[in-house]
Amino acid sequence: MKLAPFALALAFAASPVIAQEVAQGDKIGTEIGAIASALSERGYEVRKTEREDGKVEVYAVREGRRFEIYVDPETGAVTRVKEKH
Amino acid sequence: MERLGSGGREGARRIGEVLTWDPLVRLTHWSVALLVLLNGAVLEDEGQPHVWVGYAVLGLVAARFLWGLVGPARARFTSFPPSLSAARLHVDEVMHGRERRHESHNPLGALMAYNLWATLLAICATGLMMESVAFFGVEWVEEAHEALFAWLMISVGLHVSGVILESFLSGRNLVRAMVGSFHKRSGGGA
Ligand code: HEM
């Protein structure tokens, strides 16, 4: 069972992250680099970032769910979290 | 549905000298053209309707694919196999003004049809990938989707030019054959 230790490690790695989904209003950073690392720390896999209408738009995947997260680079706050279904 | 010549010789009716394509070929052709226009020029790329339209295109091309296997002779892939040498011969004949009449697509048109279908399928495939967890937000997939669409537009331009040119050279109105007649056949045609 080579997978067992791996699954265990994954479980540990993932567990502290579970409670930390970002929500509207969270301040996560004013620069793309900071935003991306804040999201990675909270368990998001950042796929793409771009600027759209003065906002930073982040495409990210978290636990098999797809999100588009918008951040206001002025305040560093999340303005919108859109989950794709 | 109309008679498709279940005797199977041509699967099409004659309007004057122009052979009308069977209803499924016409329906899939114009639906796909319309949906491509809709997705390319009207709907937002980001929205859900864009995705539904993509699925519809996929369904239409799939239906045409089945028809290419089991449909009337003229619509079958075996009637217009992709062949570079046949296409070259065709160009040669056209240049020398001694083109033969082709019951299905002419050999150059056949290559274009396969190119158009392959491009449509590749656009749908990259579109589905963008919807998947694995490829969500992955840049190259998005770029491929856009590059393929650009190629489709170039191809459609060539396609329509080819149709017009061939209609002109052969004296047969190919567009009318694809539109078909919505009226019962009357003396005046059309
Ligand atoms: C997005 C636009 C379009 C796409 C993707 C497209 C695609 C195709 C395909 C795949 C075929 C092969 C049909 C089959 O065997 O089922 C075809 C044939 C044909 N298309 Fe289009 N088409 C487009 C627009 C147009 C337009 C605007 C015209 C009008 C000028 C046109 C006229 C024709 C004609 C006349 C044929 C039959 C050619 C022949 O006699 O061999 N198409 N098209």
Side-chain angles (χ1 to χ4, degrees), chain B residues 97-118:
Chain B
R98 48 181 167 73
E99 196 198 337
R100 282 171 293 144
R101 189 193 170 99
H102 301 276
E103 287 303 327
S104 187
H105 301 297
N106 77 47
L108 205 54
L111 289 185
M112 181 50 87
Y114 291 113
N115 167 49
L116 287 163
W117 285 321

Side-chain angles (χ1 to χ4, degrees), chain A residues 47-48 59-61 64 66-68 84, chain B residues 46 131-137 139 142:
Chain A
R47 293 282 173 82
K48 188 174 78 163
Y59 289 71
V61 173
R66 297 167 295 147
F67 296 93
E68 286 171 23
K84 301 275 277 178
Chain B
E46 303 264 310
E131 287 292 293
S132 74
V133 171
F135 292 98
F136 177 70
E139 204 114 42
E142 207 166 304

Side-chain angles (χ1 to χ4, degrees), chain B residues 25 29-30 33 36 64 105 113 116-117 156 159-160 163 174 178:
Chain B
V25 166
H29 179 266
W30 294 114
V36 166
R64 179 62 183 94
H105 301 297
L116 287 163
W117 285 321
V156 168
H159 165 57
V160 173
V163 163
L174 298 188
M178 188 51 91

Side-chain angles (χ1 to χ4, degrees), chain B residues 46-103:
Chain B
E46 303 264 310
Q48 202 55 36
H50 181 96
V51 176
W52 294 329
V53 166
Y55 276 114
V57 169
L58 196 59
L60 288 162
V61 175
R64 179 62 183 94
F65 182 81
L66 286 180
W67 206 235
L69 300 175
V70 303
R74 191 191 186 200
R76 278 195 213 156
F77 300 132
T78 48
S79 304
F80 59 105
S83 160
L84 281 178
S85 54
R88 222 174 287 129
L89 182 67
H90 171 74
V91 171
D92 206 50
E93 287 175 347
V94 169
M95 302 275 245
H96 291 88
R98 48 181 167 73
E99 196 198 337
R100 282 171 293 144
R101 189 193 170 99
H102 301 276
E103 287 303 327

